[in-house]
Amino acid sequence: MCSFSCAGCGASLTVPLSQVALPTHARQKYGNGIQLPVLMESGTFAVDPEPWGPPWRSWENLDPDEAADRGVYAPVHALSEGAPGAIVIAPGEVRGTVLVPENAGGYCCGLDWGDSPNLACEACGLPVANRIDDCSLWQAVWLVPDAVRRVHVGDAETAPLSWAEALAREKGTLPVAPLARWGSLHELDHWWSWNPQWEAAASRALAHLLAASDGRPVTVPQGLIAEVFQRALDVLLPAGPQPRRAVLAGPGLPAPDTDADILLLPTHPQTGELWGPTGPVASAYPVPLPFGVWKWLASPEPHLPLPAAGTMPDGVLRDDPPAPRPHRLFRFDPSIFEHTLVRLLAVRGRWLREILDDRTQHMRAGIY
């Protein structure tokens, strides 16, 4: 456990928090005018290891070798020259700050990124964080890494959950979710859609699946995994014999077949580390999935009647209808897909660069 204090005066800025893995959807911008919930769970924080925010350098002003040193192997619009290590927390966990409205950025329905942090330390006035709650953005407070200090709380170090404990405690992430437009009244503007968290997670995984394909077809298991990935894989990869085979693997699942070429694996919910397979499949290409998404794929929760409450007699079960199905095919988030793909060495291959550069055609095909 730790809290964060102002680097200028030492004033406390947060409640005690525990570190978890950075959500795949942390920097996601979803749709247009969509009201997204809070990014982080109460009592947690995560760290973004990559630089973010101004100043930005356009690709034309970057040497390709310099970009490669930063782990970017294909052209992007711009790279941040900001400080790495931004800390993200839920808005309700911040203390002792005041809003600086003139630094709120070019917001639409709420607060957005500006040129300077929009939250300042109440005690000394140092800009320390950005409060984000604009439409189509996950609600969060991002602490400026150079403006805060980490303060450890308590004496004992707490070990991360074991994989078995994570399986027992962590919930799966539902593939569908109700969405609403910003400012909708009385919940009349809600509809069921693919969960934005799933779209972010699958977009990162798709980039890895393409890199693992070596330009050959890829097959995934039937069911929800195929509903999410197979159409895009068939569009983006050439048809042909001897497809590479991707399977789901991880803690609590039977050992994958030895002929599996690609493994869809969970990342640890606290550390972000990838589950490590052993045996003959240890050399298969690992594709990361957030733990919640992976757990739903590994053991989807059945729709069961719920215990009745209120005036219903004891022992009577209420048969709720299942969550409605989305009205469209699964689509990927192009920004998260591209962010991941340009950071994989395989993108230097001509065929992957063509996929990266042909975004308009793939949008017409309904991939994004």
Side-chain angles (χ1 to χ4, degrees):
M1 298 286 290
C2 67
S3 62
F4 294 89
S5 64
C6 174
C9 67
S12 179
L13 298 177
T14 73
V15 300
L17 303 165
S18 297
Q19 187 167 2
V20 297
L22 182 72
T24 311
H25 54 285
R27 301 288 188 179
Q28 183 183 34
K29 182 176 177 63
Y30 188 82
N32 182 25
I34 306 299
Q35 185 174 357
L36 292 176
V38 173
L39 173 67
M40 301 298 296
E41 292 187 6
S42 178
T44 67
F45 75 95
V47 178
D48 188 348
E50 294 194 19
W52 182 263
W56 297 88
R57 285 179 64 191
S58 65
W59 185 260
E60 291 75 15
N61 295 323
L62 275 167
D63 182 88
D65 290 336
E66 180 185 357
D69 289 340
R70 294 180 58 175
V72 178
Y73 306 107
V76 294
H77 175 67
L79 284 179
S80 171
E81 295 290 303
I87 301 110
V88 61
I89 64 176
E93 312 294 60
V94 71
R95 300 289 186 271
T97 62
V98 293
L99 183 66
V100 186
E102 57 268 28
N103 292 343
Y107 52 87
C108 176
C109 301
L111 301 175
D112 200 348
W113 300 96
D115 294 331
S116 301
N118 60 32
L119 290 180
C121 173
E122 186 177 23
C124 70
L126 178 70
V128 293
N130 267 298
R131 169 71 162 99
I132 304 299
D133 61 9
D134 203 359
C135 57
S136 297
L137 299 175
W138 291 87
Q139 298 182 45
V141 167
W142 290 86
L143 302 174
V144 178
D146 295 338
V148 298
R149 296 288 181 268
R150 187 180 301 197
V151 180
H152 290 282
V153 178
D155 299 328
E157 289 286 340
T158 303
L161 296 174
S162 67
W163 285 105
E165 291 171 332
L167 276 175
R169 298 185 191 182
E170 298 294 318
K171 296 180 179 179
T173 303
L174 274 69
V176 295
L179 298 182
R181 297 201 180 278
W182 189 272
S184 61
L185 300 177
H186 307 297
E187 301 185 352
L188 297 178
D189 196 18
H190 285 66
W191 69 95
W192 286 89
S193 176
W194 289 103
N195 192 331
Q197 296 183 42
W198 272 65
E199 295 193 12
S203 300
R204 181 180 67 171
L206 178 63
H208 283 278
L209 284 167
L210 294 177
S213 72
D214 290 332
R216 291 160 51 189
V218 170
T219 62
V220 296
Q222 293 299 311
L224 183 57
I225 300 179
E227 186 176 359
V228 170
F229 290 108
Q230 196 63 66
R231 183 173 68 95
L233 293 170
D234 291 344
V235 170
L236 298 175
L237 294 172
Q242 298 181 332
R244 305 206 78 194
R245 184 164 165 264
V247 300
L248 193 70
L253 293 181
D257 296 338
T258 57
D259 61 347
D261 304 293
I262 305 167
L263 300 181
L264 298 164
L265 302 174
T267 55
H268 194 279
Q270 292 175 313
T271 67
E273 294 180 358
L274 199 63
W275 184 80
T278 58
V281 296
S283 60
Y285 189 107
V287 174
L289 288 172
F291 190 86
V293 172
W294 174 89
K295 184 174 181 181
W296 188 275
L297 290 172
S299 54
E301 299 176 15
H303 177 71
L304 298 176
L306 300 175
T311 59
M312 297 292 288
D314 292 340
V316 174
L317 297 178
R318 186 175 67 243
D319 188 13
D320 290 341
R325 292 281 301 164
H327 295 299
R328 61 171 174 83
L329 297 174
F330 191 90
R331 292 200 295 259
F332 295 86
D333 186 309
S335 296
I336 294 176
F337 171 73
E338 292 174 8
H339 178 90
T340 304
L341 191 57
V342 299
R343 286 163 173 78
L344 300 178
L345 272 171
V347 78
R348 287 175 165 172
R350 180 178 175 181
W351 66 276
L352 263 183
R353 283 292 301 274
E354 290 176 352
I355 291 176
L356 187 64
D357 296 338
D358 209 1
R359 176 171 168 174
T360 301
Q361 178 180 339
H362 299 144
M363 290 185 71
R364 291 172 180 166
I367 301 300
Y368 304 131

